[in-house]
Amino acid sequence: MHQLKDVKTIIKRLNEHGYEAYIVGGFVRDYLLNQKNGDIDIATNALPETVKSIFPKTILTGVKHGTVTVIFQDEQYEITTFRKESHYLKNRKPESVFFVSSLKEDVKRRDFTMNALALTIDEKIIDYVDGITDIEDKTIRTVGNPYERFSEDALRMLRAFRFVSTLGFKIEKESLIAITNHKELIKNISDERILKEFENMMNQKYFVQAIELMIKTDFHHALPILKNGIEMIHKTKIVPVDLFEFLTICAVCGNFQQIKTLPISNKLKKEMGIVYDMFMLGITDFTKPIIFRNGLRNCIFTNKLNVYLKQTEDKKEDIIKQYKQMPIHKPCDLSFRGDDILKLYDRKPGGWISDLIDEICLKVLNDELPNDKVKIKEYLHNLEKKDKRSE
Ligand code: ATP
Ligand code: MG
């Protein structure tokens, strides 16, 4: 977590060397809104090599774009030289950046007026773009012409929706029309970046408003894999709390195979597959074996999908009650292990062991067998005798 007092020390050090430096970006916006922001960005007229020479510990990851990361009190702070951007390639990356000498020039490249403010170490705001008025009016407005700014970098459209979700601001009229007209440009943005913005949008106070504006601008039509999910969220008012829930909604309302092509972890895909299957199979009765096999969270989420998308009765309380009553929650909770089974049988290890463990788990979950080593051993003995008799 960045500390304001440490940032002030960093800025003072730059000042002592004769350079200007300010706090910029989201921290200043949130400072005016009295909201916490643990990410403090610094802008300066010192060139990256100079910044590097002033601070003993730096990382030079973004030097091409003017950013030097300074390590101070074990935290990383990004210091970016005032800059201007050349024309943009494929609606995202500027071809090159030019360093400029004034803050006034630097703020022109920033996306929205609320994000183009600067804060001095005496906590005075410098506002060249009427950002304070827009924050007071709860308005998201591009710095300069919205048509130009969204076509330069199409990600800004999604950032606008993200800020609606976090701040509950409205998008200014002309900017909204520009998004409607330029929505197709989002196709030039990588799936990683798009998903990152959606992830930031989740679990925020004004998520419903963000979805409403996406529908109003038809923006979701430019995101074919996510389109049906967004429409369903709008229609049913289901609120996904994270990317997993959001993408699973998109999968059950659209094409799961396409969702699987997105850059998400295999673990996430596996969990989504579990919920997808339960939802598609129409599971509405979450028995102990079902909860055991599919996991508590997945069952609760499948129930949520059932309630919103199929208008079934809400079983959440019952699922939690069943879960609490379960004598075991994972196969490793069983007091009889694979090794114990191997000792009992004169057979080579193989898939039969996990089949047998599954069978024992089911018996234990259905209260047909206690989770007791001796009793399970007895059960297996009897099972063997029975098998021998039937051979
Ligand atoms: P958060 O509070 O979520 O960190 P933020 O506004 O600080 O929001 P960052 O992504 O941290 O967003 O970017 C820092 C600043 O850099 C922004 O406030 C904005 O001034 C500028 N910025 C970031 N992305 C863009 C962009 N795509 N186009 C123009 N300016 C941008
Ligand atoms: Mg930030």
Side-chain angles (χ1 to χ4, degrees):
M1 179 97 159
H2 288 172
Q3 300 299 331
L4 187 56
K5 69 169 181 18
D6 291 339
V7 172
K8 286 184 179 178
T9 309
I10 292 173
I11 292 180
K12 268 192 204 135
R13 202 161 293 173
L14 284 159
N15 293 160
E16 281 156 19
H17 284 80
Y19 297 99
E20 281 176 52
Y22 306 94
I23 297 172
V24 289
F27 181 87
V28 189
R29 176 196 69 228
D30 292 346
Y31 172 89
L32 283 174
L33 289 167
N34 264 327
Q35 284 181 17
K36 269 221 165 78
N37 190 321
D39 170 43
I40 311 182
D41 294 305
I42 301 162
T44 179
N45 61 349
L47 290 172
E49 305 87 80
T50 314
V51 176
K52 186 178 160 259
S53 69
I54 293 176
F55 296 95
K57 280 195 209 159
T58 52
I59 310 174
L60 304 176
T61 38
V63 169
K64 223 176 95 200
H65 294 104
T67 306
V68 173
T69 303
V70 167
I71 302 173
F72 193 81
Q73 308 286 16
D74 292 334
E75 280 288 341
Q76 300 193 356
Y77 293 90
E78 288 197 345
I79 304 186
T80 306
T81 306
F82 295 156
R83 65 177 205 215
K84 175 171 153 174
E85 285 154 2
S86 72
H87 74 272
Y88 288 70
L89 295 176
K90 284 202 138 202
N91 317 103
R92 172 66 191 139
K93 283 208 163 64
E95 196 173 33
S96 52
V97 302
F98 302 98
F99 298 130
V100 293
S101 56
S102 73
L103 173 71
K104 196 170 178 181
E105 269 295 304
D106 178 87
V107 297
K108 286 190 200 151
R109 68 161 175 100
R110 297 186 178 270
D111 50 3
F112 304 113
T113 57
M114 62 180 186
N115 291 343
L117 302 168
L119 187 70
T120 67
I121 45 172
D122 325 317
E123 303 194 20
K124 286 202 186 74
I125 304 275
I126 303 175
D127 179 6
Y128 291 116
V129 292
D130 274 343
I132 297 177
T133 314
D134 283 333
I135 288 179
E136 280 167 0
D137 294 344
K138 298 185 186 298
T139 301
I140 299 168
R141 182 194 309 273
T142 53
V143 175
N145 182 316
Y147 300 91
E148 281 172 23
R149 302 312 309 284
F150 290 135
S151 56
E152 274 172 9
D153 179 356
L155 187 70
R156 289 173 189 152
M157 298 189 277
L158 211 45
R159 280 175 62 86
F161 291 117
R162 193 249 285 188
F163 289 121
V164 171
S165 185
T166 54
L167 304 170
F169 284 19
K170 56 190 171 297
I171 300 177
E172 172 272 328
K173 205 169 140 221
E174 202 67 27
S175 300
L176 211 54
I177 298 171
I179 291 177
T180 313
N181 291 349
H182 284 331
K183 59 179 179 292
E184 292 298 324
L185 298 181
I186 197 70
K187 292 188 169 140
N188 293 324
I189 304 294
S190 74
D191 289 336
E192 276 97 339
R193 297 304 305 249
I194 293 178
L195 288 187
K196 191 85 204 109
E197 284 307 327
F198 269 99
E199 189 167 20
N200 291 335
M201 224 181 275
M202 298 299 142
N203 212 11
Q204 300 292 341
K205 210 166 158 194
Y206 305 98
F207 175 74
V208 173
Q209 274 100 309
I211 291 292
E212 239 151 49
L213 280 182
M214 270 190 207
I215 299 278
K216 192 173 163 190
T217 53
D218 265 344
F219 185 78
H220 62 302
H221 280 280
L223 302 167
I225 304 184
L226 310 177
K227 176 180 155 286
N228 289 0
I230 294 171
E231 278 173 359
M232 187 57 84
I233 289 168
H234 184 242
K235 194 174 121 197
T236 62
K237 303 279 176 273
I238 186 170
V239 177
V241 297
D242 54 19
L243 200 62
F244 162 70
E245 291 202 2
F246 174 65
L247 291 179
T248 310
I249 294 170
C250 295
V252 301
C253 302
N255 185 330
F256 192 20
Q257 291 314 318
Q258 280 183 330
I259 298 278
K260 281 187 192 160
T261 65
L262 294 173
I264 46 176
S265 70
N266 286 335
K267 186 170 175 287
L268 199 65
K269 285 183 205 169
K270 192 175 154 230
E271 296 295 305
M272 282 168 59
I274 293 173
V275 175
Y276 181 87
D277 287 346
M278 277 198 282
F279 181 79
M280 290 303 177
L281 286 169
I283 292 176
T284 52
D285 193 13
F286 299 89
T287 60
K288 288 181 183 125
I290 288 179
I291 302 171
F292 181 81
R293 208 173 310 127
N294 300 294
L296 177 67
R297 180 186 74 157
N298 290 337
C299 289
I300 289 178
F301 179 46
T302 307
N303 169 69
K304 179 171 164 182
L305 290 176
N306 287 341
V307 171
Y308 282 90
L309 274 51
K310 293 179 178 165
Q311 280 83 49
T312 62
E313 189 194 332
D314 189 356
K315 301 273 181 71
K316 186 175 171 184
E317 294 306 315
D318 186 53
I319 295 171
I320 294 170
K321 193 173 138 207
Q322 299 278 355
Y323 181 81
K324 283 186 180 156
Q325 287 172 354
M326 276 158 53
I328 51 172
H329 297 101
K330 313 180 269 325
C332 65
D333 292 340
L334 207 62
S335 55
F336 212 75
R337 300 288 169 85
D339 290 356
D340 301 317
I341 292 180
L342 261 184
K343 278 185 217 151
L344 278 185
Y345 295 84
D346 185 21
R347 272 180 80 179
K348 274 193 196 143
W352 63 275
I353 297 180
S354 58
D355 289 348
L356 206 51
I357 287 186
D358 284 350
E359 190 183 322
I360 302 167
C361 285
L362 198 66
K363 291 265 170 210
V364 171
L365 287 165
N366 285 334
D367 289 329
E368 291 164 13
L369 188 64
N371 185 21
D372 176 283
K373 207 165 177 170
V374 177
K375 295 275 190 247
I376 296 173
K377 200 170 169 182
E378 233 173 71
Y379 166 77
L380 290 173
H381 267 305
N382 292 338
L383 200 69
E384 206 182 11
K385 272 194 228 151
K386 222 167 44 186
D387 284 351
K388 288 231 168 82
R389 258 183 270 129
S390 61
E391 266 169 17

